[in-house]
Amino acid sequence: NFIDRRLKLDSAAALGCAIEEHPRPFDGVEGFTDALERYTRAGFMVDQAHRRFEQHRARRLRSELPHFARLKEIVGQLRVGYRAWADGLASDFSELCRARGVLPDEALLQRTLYEREVHPLIRGRDRVAVLLVDGLRYGMAAELAAEFKESGTRITLNARFADARFFWDDDGKLP
């Protein structure tokens, strides 16, 4: 029906627009804090739009649809565009790691989350629930945080880097 077709087109348009609006979030990035701020401010929107598009595509794109071949072509074009965007993001982040080493400040690492964020709240005897959304899924965490906020729950959404020391040499440099 019309609503199903519109949702497919909306998610495709949202992905295309997100890529166009945020073509290189890490271009000229100054450091890890800057990279994290840029990704959590805007870069994640491209990943989020891609996830939503692929979910809608998986649920609704069927071979019996009119213009199926053209729709598949558009899907392919969007995937190529997203892949190029993701490759650029990875390349720019790799350049940051080459320039600065791979270890950001400890305050930005996942392994310090408890001592820096959770423990101070527990000492204050607040009720605390910690939800970790891992695997570059900041967009999903942002959606979940928005739902909790709507119910009146106090939310703090922070992004962290995984500690990848075991991938690098002793100086934290790429080989």
Side-chain angles (χ1 to χ4, degrees):
N1 70 28
F2 174 74
I3 292 175
D4 284 344
R5 282 185 277 140
R6 196 177 124 225
L7 283 174
K8 269 193 291 247
L9 294 175
D10 285 353
S11 67
L15 176 56
C17 288
I19 291 169
E20 190 173 292
E21 290 170 13
H22 310 291
R24 292 201 44 213
F26 293 164
D27 186 31
V29 71
E30 296 293 321
F32 290 105
T33 301
D34 186 27
L36 207 56
E37 287 172 3
R38 288 181 187 204
Y39 187 80
T40 59
R41 185 177 59 243
F44 84 92
M45 293 177 187
V46 178
D47 284 325
Q48 184 178 56
H50 176 253
R51 177 179 51 82
R52 288 176 176 166
F53 168 72
E54 290 293 353
Q55 288 172 335
H56 287 149
R57 182 209 51 80
R59 284 194 307 266
R60 296 193 174 95
L61 186 61
R62 302 285 176 252
S63 60
E64 58 273 3
L65 286 172
H67 312 292
F68 175 73
R70 179 68 182 126
L71 291 171
K72 287 285 288 182
E73 190 177 310
I74 292 168
V75 167
Q77 291 170 349
L78 284 167
R79 285 177 169 169
V80 166
Y82 175 75
R83 184 78 269 140
W85 178 88
D87 288 348
L89 188 75
S91 178
D92 289 343
F93 190 77
S94 292
E95 284 303 314
L96 172 64
C97 291
R98 281 187 187 90
R100 304 282 175 116
V102 295
L103 292 177
D105 179 59
E106 278 206 359
L108 299 176
L109 293 174
Q110 287 176 354
R111 66 182 159 92
T112 65
L113 176 74
Y114 179 81
E115 75 183 50
R116 291 179 179 266
E117 304 288 339
V118 179
H119 190 72
L121 295 173
I122 292 172
R123 280 193 314 217
R125 301 194 186 271
D126 285 344
R127 288 185 179 180
V128 176
V130 177
L131 299 176
L132 299 176
V133 180
D134 199 6
L136 298 175
R137 295 293 181 227
Y138 186 83
M140 292 174 76
E143 289 174 8
L144 185 60
E147 287 185 33
F148 278 118
K149 282 181 183 177
E150 286 177 9
S151 71
T153 304
R154 187 179 63 184
I155 297 293
T156 302
L157 178 61
N158 291 319
R160 300 289 176 114
F161 289 106
D163 189 341
R165 286 181 288 179
F166 48 87
F167 289 117
W168 319 107
D169 66 20
D170 290 339
D171 296 322
K173 299 285 184 187
L174 290 170

